[in-house]
Amino acid sequence: MNTSKKAKSALISVFHKDGLEPIVKKLNELNITIYSTGGTEVFIKNLGIEVVPVEDLTSYPSILGGRVKTLHPKVFGGILTRRDNERDKEQITEFDIPEIDIVIVDLYPFEKTVLSDASEQEIIEKIDIGGISLIRAAAKNFNDVICVSSMDQYDEFLNIISKNNGTTTIVQRKSFAAKSFGISSHYDSAIFNYLNTDETVFRQSFDKSATLRYGENPHQKGFFFGDIEALFDKLHGKELSYNNLLDVDAAVNLMKEFKADTPTFAILKHNNACGLAQRETLHQAYVDALAGDSTSAFGGVLISNKAIDLNTANEIHKLFCEVVIAPGYDTDALAILKGKKNRIILIQKEIELPKTQFRTALNGVLFQDIDNVTDALSDLETVTNTSPTTQELDDLIFASKICKHTKSNTIVFAKNKQLFASGTGQTSRVDALNHAVEKATHFGFDLSGAVMASDAFFPFPDCVEIADKAGITSVIQPGGSIKDKLSIDYCNENGMSMVMTGTRHFKH
């Protein structure tokens, strides 16, 4: 059985005309009859190429302000007829329906309209009916018809018909059909998510993707689904890996807490901050962030809330790091950072980040709002006899922001808006605390007068006791344990201050 098909006719109806001209000219060169309507018909005529109006085929005008143009049996019959089915052949002959072998159609820009300042009525009018129907019909009948459903497919399609004199193979038509159903399903998901108010129903679709070198480990396949270019301009370096992307995600969400603050620099490794500092200059912020854990910083992801200058770049260049992220770079600073060929340099753009997050779990998906609560001074309740000083309050809020973005169980130490140490991802809060004390000591930090943040309550007073003996003078935690009083009593007996926020910040 010969599965190759030579096209004799094509239906073209597109919203975007970019890149269409060479295809139309090639179809005309191949003596393929072209049917069209509306703006596409005018476009083809203006090229001096003969085109048959769909209205001539259907003997019916475009009606309802263009809402109904191609929805007609003479159009869909020509697309859906099975060329090897005798009954289909008889019927299209009886009703004078021409076979349509190529369908080139795209969809109204619904998602772009939603993102604009358009009214609801304008958005509703961008719900495509005819286009989506044509795509589904042509893709369904891929045995006989090839469906080109996006301008992103124009080059591939033009290459096929040019090389093969208008002939397509079943493999090619099936491939284009899969792409077409991908586009139609994504489009329907976007419409659903715009209209849906039922939070118990989950639909997600991404129309852009990237193949990664591998997943978390070399033996795992890895892909990124989303539009990374909407968030970053990549200036230099190798492609982002799966693990890079996880660290970049953690870095971006952490730095969002300090976006409007004085110069702030963070260094992350395995999704946790190993260094973070705020200073009067970005250079000093970086130096003090690196001092937090210069060992873990090796191979890490660096992020700044300010444009990177030459002095800062010179310091960064001494460190092997995978990724550098900033809102901008001075020209001379960028030249320095590009000195390592694989170093990934990103400019972060101003776009809104998602307000929800999801991940696979068991045989389904877990979905939740992001943790959008940032502890503020107004949230703090002093529960001890001693109140935090002004400096301690600033450090408590600073430490709390870091703690929120650190894997649980976690304890964070900070002083003078510098991360001294953190205990991350431990199965016991006491273990996290001891780990933080050990790290602070190893890197030469004096914890006297430092503050401590915890992502969850203390079920026993052992944590505040260990912290007190290490030099911690003030503590921030959510509270909520039935034994909160034990920790409060220890603080009162030993001159420590403690504030409670009422908000837990687990991160798993």
Side-chain angles (χ1 to χ4, degrees):
M1 181 179 175
N2 183 14
T3 58
S4 293
K5 302 283 184 177
K6 184 172 175 60
K8 297 178 182 178
S9 62
L11 171 65
I12 308 176
S13 180
V14 296
F15 184 87
H16 302 98
K17 312 298 188 297
D18 296 345
L20 185 61
E21 181 177 340
I23 290 176
V24 172
K25 288 181 175 178
K26 176 54 68 173
L27 294 176
N28 182 61
E29 179 186 319
L30 294 170
N31 295 315
I32 293 173
T33 301
I34 300 174
Y35 298 94
S36 191
T37 187
T40 309
E41 178 191 344
V42 173
F43 175 84
I44 295 171
K45 284 181 177 177
N46 287 340
L47 294 176
I49 293 173
E50 185 177 350
V51 57
V52 179
V54 167
E55 291 82 356
D56 289 358
L57 173 63
T58 63
S59 300
Y60 219 91
S62 172
I63 62 173
L64 305 181
R67 279 189 165 197
V68 180
K69 292 183 285 190
T70 56
L71 295 169
H72 194 280
K74 281 206 169 183
V75 174
F76 282 85
I79 295 169
L80 287 165
T81 180
R82 292 158 290 188
R83 276 54 165 179
D84 59 354
N85 185 292
E86 292 302 320
R87 181 59 180 148
D88 284 6
K89 289 180 180 179
E90 291 171 5
Q91 287 190 321
I92 65 169
T93 300
E94 178 184 355
F95 295 106
D96 193 24
I97 299 174
E99 293 178 352
I100 296 174
D101 307 309
I102 298 170
V103 173
I104 302 174
V105 61
D106 63 6
L107 301 172
Y108 293 156
F110 178 81
E111 289 178 283
K112 287 184 179 179
T113 307
V114 170
L115 293 174
S116 70
D117 294 326
S119 66
E120 181 173 83
Q121 186 55 45
E122 289 172 316
I123 292 170
I124 296 303
E125 287 304 318
K126 287 297 184 287
I127 297 178
D128 206 310
I129 304 301
I132 203 81
S133 302
L134 289 168
I135 286 173
R136 291 179 64 83
K140 175 179 179 176
N141 200 23
F142 64 82
N143 274 329
D144 300 300
V145 179
I146 188 164
C147 181
V148 182
S149 51
S150 166
M151 59 190 300
D152 294 336
Q153 301 163 16
Y154 285 179
D155 287 345
E156 183 182 1
F157 173 71
L158 180 59
N159 184 56
I160 289 171
I161 61 172
S162 298
K163 280 188 174 181
N164 301 292
N165 201 33
T167 297
T168 59
T169 67
I170 185 64
V171 172
Q172 290 165 343
R173 295 192 300 275
K174 193 171 184 178
S175 173
F176 274 75
K179 295 172 185 175
S180 296
F181 281 118
I183 285 172
S184 67
S185 64
H186 176 80
Y187 195 78
D188 285 341
S189 293
I191 296 168
F192 168 80
N193 285 325
Y194 171 72
L195 295 173
N196 179 51
T197 57
D198 183 356
E199 293 182 338
T200 65
V201 182
F202 177 77
R203 295 283 188 282
Q204 284 292 333
S205 177
F206 299 94
D207 64 348
K208 292 192 175 183
S209 65
T211 300
L212 306 176
R213 296 195 300 276
Y214 50 80
E216 205 161 5
N217 299 291
H219 63 277
Q220 296 170 267
K221 289 183 180 179
F223 303 88
F224 176 76
F225 295 97
D227 187 5
I228 196 73
E229 293 178 358
L231 184 57
F232 300 109
D233 284 329
K234 181 167 173 268
L235 305 181
H236 183 73
K238 62 185 180 181
E239 295 303 314
L240 287 160
S241 70
Y242 184 99
N243 292 327
N244 287 155
L245 287 165
L246 288 175
D247 282 334
V248 167
D249 175 73
V252 167
N253 282 285
L254 171 61
M255 192 53 70
K256 186 170 67 170
E257 303 285 353
F258 304 97
K259 180 180 176 182
D261 291 358
T262 55
T264 306
F265 212 106
I267 304 171
L268 289 89
K269 191 74 170 288
H270 295 298
N271 310 159
N272 296 305
C274 57
L276 198 153
Q278 277 188 341
R279 292 293 182 260
E280 289 300 314
T281 67
L282 191 63
H283 173 264
Q284 194 59 50
Y286 170 75
V287 169
D288 290 347
L290 181 63
D293 185 346
S294 56
T295 301
S296 296
F298 183 86
V301 169
L302 281 55
I303 188 166
S304 164
N305 69 344
K306 306 294 182 187
I308 292 180
D309 56 32
L310 179 61
N311 285 342
T312 308
N314 279 325
E315 290 295 333
I316 292 172
H317 195 56
K318 299 173 185 176
L319 175 73
F320 168 71
C321 58
E322 291 274 343
V323 185
V324 182
I325 309 166
Y329 301 84
D330 291 352
T331 302
D332 49 4
L334 184 59
I336 293 293
L337 294 175
K338 284 183 175 181
K340 299 286 178 68
K341 68 175 184 178
N342 288 329
R343 179 183 286 149
I344 301 166
I345 304 174
L346 304 174
I347 289 182
Q348 184 178 344
K349 300 179 186 178
E350 288 282 344
I351 70 165
E352 187 174 350
L353 295 172
K355 295 183 172 63
T356 57
Q357 57 187 185
F358 59 91
R359 59 177 164 180
T360 58
L362 301 174
N363 62 344
V365 170
L366 286 171
F367 182 92
Q368 68 173 355
D369 295 331
I370 63 165
D371 184 354
N372 58 6
V373 174
T374 297
D375 297 328
L377 291 175
S378 58
D379 300 318
L380 307 187
E381 178 189 2
T382 301
V383 293
T384 51
N385 296 332
T386 301
S387 296
T389 65
T390 300
Q391 180 61 54
E392 286 173 335
L393 284 171
D394 284 346
D395 285 339
L396 289 169
I397 294 298
F398 176 84
S400 173
K401 290 177 179 179
I402 301 171
C403 192
K404 170 184 169 180
H405 293 275
T406 305
K407 297 287 187 180
S408 299
N409 288 312
T410 186
I411 292 291
V412 169
F413 294 152
K415 185 177 179 181
N416 297 326
K417 293 190 176 180
Q418 180 183 12
L419 172 62
F420 271 18
S422 60
T424 65
Q426 301 299 307
T427 53
S428 155
R429 197 159 302 281
V430 172
D431 286 347
L433 174 54
N434 285 328
H435 183 212
V437 172
E438 180 183 345
K439 282 192 70 175
T441 302
H442 175 75
F443 287 103
F445 288 111
D446 179 4
L447 290 175
S448 299
V451 305
M452 176 174 76
S454 174
D455 59 337
F457 63 63
F458 302 119
F460 304 102
D462 47 3
C463 283
V464 289
E465 181 179 355
I466 295 169
D468 172 41
K469 291 177 178 177
I472 299 298
T473 55
S474 192
V475 179
I476 184 170
Q477 57 127 330
S481 169
I482 59 174
K483 297 183 178 180
D484 275 345
K485 190 173 184 301
L486 296 179
S487 294
I488 294 171
D489 287 346
Y490 180 90
C491 289
N492 284 333
E493 291 165 6
N494 291 275
M496 298 176 72
S497 62
M498 178 186 287
V499 297
M500 293 184 179
T501 65
T503 302
R504 189 182 72 184
H505 293 294
F506 269 168
K507 188 172 188 288
H508 293 104

